[in-house]
Amino acid sequence: MIKVAHVCTSSFSHKILVDKLTLLKQRGYDIHLVSSKEGYNEKLMQNYDFKLHFIHMNRKIHVLDDVVSIFHMVRLFRKEKYQIVHTHTAKAGIIGRVAGRLAGVPVVIHTSHGLPFYEGQRKLKYYTYRFLEKIGAWFCDAIASQNREDMKKIEQYAPRQRVYYEGNGVDLSKLDDRNKHISCEQITALKDRLGIPNDQKVILVGARFEPVKDHFFY
């Protein structure tokens, strides 16, 4: 059985990974989740059978904290003898890739769930984050992107790296099942509570409230 560590900065990210990781587990992979304990949702994780490891990671750039996190992660990787380390999110992507290489993990992969640098960002942040992503690319075997637009940017800052399109999605069967249990009366009551006219269409955008998500586009 291939032993894989999936690394994300905080436990908030568990919810975007667990369904996909369940499919990998069904295919015979031994899946471990590594993250800080920030945002841990015990109720969510009760529905999944993954081994969890908590290592503090500062979501901001903090050299001392980051070095300590790398040290603890190297120790964990060597102890567990992972065959693959797969990192997610920007901060864990740097720390996890460096730790994976230092620990001698055979395969280190990173998935970009959205690049930390983007148009309209302050120049110092933009070039700092871009430089860090470039460094991270030196410490892995491949990079995956969840959208094709970011692939072009990744290929620019990591021209010698293998870049793959991973894509993203939701389990439509779960949405269909949920839709069967929602009545017109419930929808009307919700619109009344939110002050939305009953004949007005509503668009749901599943994204955090940050400028990079461009909510005003709608």
Side-chain angles (χ1 to χ4, degrees), residues 54-72:
F54 295 114
I55 291 178
H56 172 71
M57 279 178 270
N58 192 330
R59 286 200 280 178
K60 296 181 180 179
I61 298 173
H62 191 292
V63 176
L64 181 58
D65 280 358
D66 297 342
V67 170
V68 172
S69 298
I70 290 171
F71 171 78
H72 288 301

Side-chain angles (χ1 to χ4, degrees), residues 68-200:
V68 172
S69 298
I70 290 171
F71 171 78
H72 288 301
M73 208 168 287
V74 168
R75 191 166 60 178
L76 172 67
F77 292 170
R78 287 176 176 169
K79 176 186 174 184
E80 294 291 340
K81 295 181 172 60
Y82 294 114
Q83 291 148 288
I84 301 173
V85 161
H86 190 154
T87 62
H88 306 264
T89 65
K91 190 59 175 289
I94 303 299
I95 292 173
R97 281 182 278 182
V98 172
R101 273 291 177 260
L102 293 177
V105 176
V107 178
V108 179
I109 304 168
H110 176 65
T111 288
S112 169
H113 294 258
L115 294 171
F117 58 91
Y118 52 88
E119 292 181 14
Q121 195 175 32
R122 285 185 297 171
K123 286 188 176 181
L124 180 60
K125 273 192 173 183
Y126 181 93
Y127 288 109
T128 298
Y129 289 149
R130 190 179 187 278
F131 176 69
L132 290 173
E133 286 297 319
K134 190 170 185 175
I135 291 176
W138 298 343
F139 291 87
C140 65
D141 300 291
I143 301 174
S145 174
Q146 293 204 310
N147 67 75
R148 296 190 187 279
E149 183 180 354
D150 283 353
M151 289 179 69
K152 298 175 184 177
K153 297 176 182 177
I154 294 170
E155 289 165 352
Q156 287 175 356
Y157 71 71
R160 298 180 182 179
Q161 189 58 270
R162 287 174 286 186
V163 182
Y164 299 94
Y165 173 64
E166 182 179 325
N168 205 352
V170 296
D171 187 341
L172 293 178
S173 64
K174 290 185 178 181
L175 292 179
D176 290 340
D177 182 64
R178 178 64 178 160
N179 187 50
K180 292 176 184 176
H181 296 87
I182 298 175
S183 66
C184 293
E185 289 76 15
Q186 288 175 306
I187 294 174
T188 300
L190 180 60
K191 284 185 172 181
D192 286 343
R193 182 156 59 87
L194 297 175
I196 301 172
N198 195 42
D199 60 349
Q200 187 168 339

